[in-house]
Structures are given as structure tokens and as C-alpha cells.
Amino acid sequence: QVQLVESGGGLAQPGGSLRLSCAASGSIFRIRAMGWYRQAPGKERDLVATIADDRTTNYADSVKGRFTISRDNAKNTVYLQMNSLKPEDTAVYYCNANVVRSVADYGMNYWGKGTLVTVSS
């Protein structure tokens, strides 16, 4: 069993900042890629940013230059620093991790329950 718990969501002003955290726990041998996705009402869940186990990063064009994804492998935690927030960033943000649970296992994807980010004046 693997659990991902997001934190750090809330209300921010346009131009403001928030930092999201996602901590993974449970049966973890190692974590491969981790990422953040978001979903606004009536829209599909879209990729925001990912970070591989070698710390290679990938960002959606809409957040490049504003958001930064990072990870702390010792804590099994991924972060999303969100700066220069826009109303369009309003969404539920979900954490994802590809987790290898044992030496013999392949990686499986797990999702957090999401944290709401609201950007509004």
C-alpha cells in the first residue's frame, strides 16, 4: 500500500505564490518519476510538471518560468513552487508518483486525493 498526501493548497492573489508538497508513504522501495497534475471543473486532468529520478524535469508550457518542481528523495516528497499565480491556475492539484514497491516489482502509478488551489482577487 502506498499513500500520497498533498498539502499547501489554498487561496492566493494573482501574482502571489504557493508551495505544494506531496509526501509518499507505505511500501516503497524507490520512487521513479513524480509529478503534479491539475484539473479544473469541466476540464480534463492535465500535466503541470514532472520530475524523474535523475531530476530531469518537464513542464507544461502554461507554467514554464513560473512553477518549479523539485524532490527530496530522502523524504519521498515532491514539491511544486508556484510563483506569479494567475486565475487560470485555479484547479485541484494532484500528486502522482511512480513507485517501485520491491526489488522484484515494476513501477506503478499512485495518486493523491488532491489539494485545491484558488487564485482570485
Side-chain angles (χ1 to χ4, degrees):
Q1 189 66 238
V2 175
Q3 298 84 38
L4 303 180
V5 179
E6 301 101 334
S7 62
L11 176 65
Q13 298 280 346
S17 298
L18 287 173
R19 191 186 194 209
L20 306 183
S21 299
C22 172
S25 62
S27 300
I28 299 172
F29 174 66
R30 69 182 181 94
I31 301 177
R32 296 170 63 88
M34 304 185 79
W36 290 95
Y37 297 72
R38 66 188 182 187
Q39 185 170 22
K43 296 185 178 181
E44 300 292 327
R45 185 176 299 187
D46 293 324
L47 180 146
V48 177
T50 61
I51 182 166
D53 51 7
D54 66 355
R55 287 186 165 82
T56 299
T57 58
N58 182 48
Y59 296 91
D61 288 341
S62 59
V63 307
K64 286 181 179 178
R66 300 189 298 120
F67 292 8
T68 302
I69 189 169
S70 61
R71 65 191 288 170
D72 185 335
N73 291 336
K75 298 180 179 179
N76 292 141
T77 299
V78 62
Y79 306 93
L80 186 68
Q81 179 66 47
M82 304 186 294
N83 298 326
S84 302
L85 283 164
K86 304 175 180 180
E88 306 94 273
D89 296 319
T90 297
V92 176
Y93 284 69
Y94 296 91
C95 176
N96 177 80
N98 190 264
V99 179
V100 178
R101 298 177 64 186
S102 70
V103 174
D105 275 348
Y106 50 86
M108 295 180 62
N109 283 318
Y110 294 86
W111 292 92
K113 294 181 179 180
T115 184
L116 177 63
V117 171
T118 302
V119 184
S120 176
S121 299

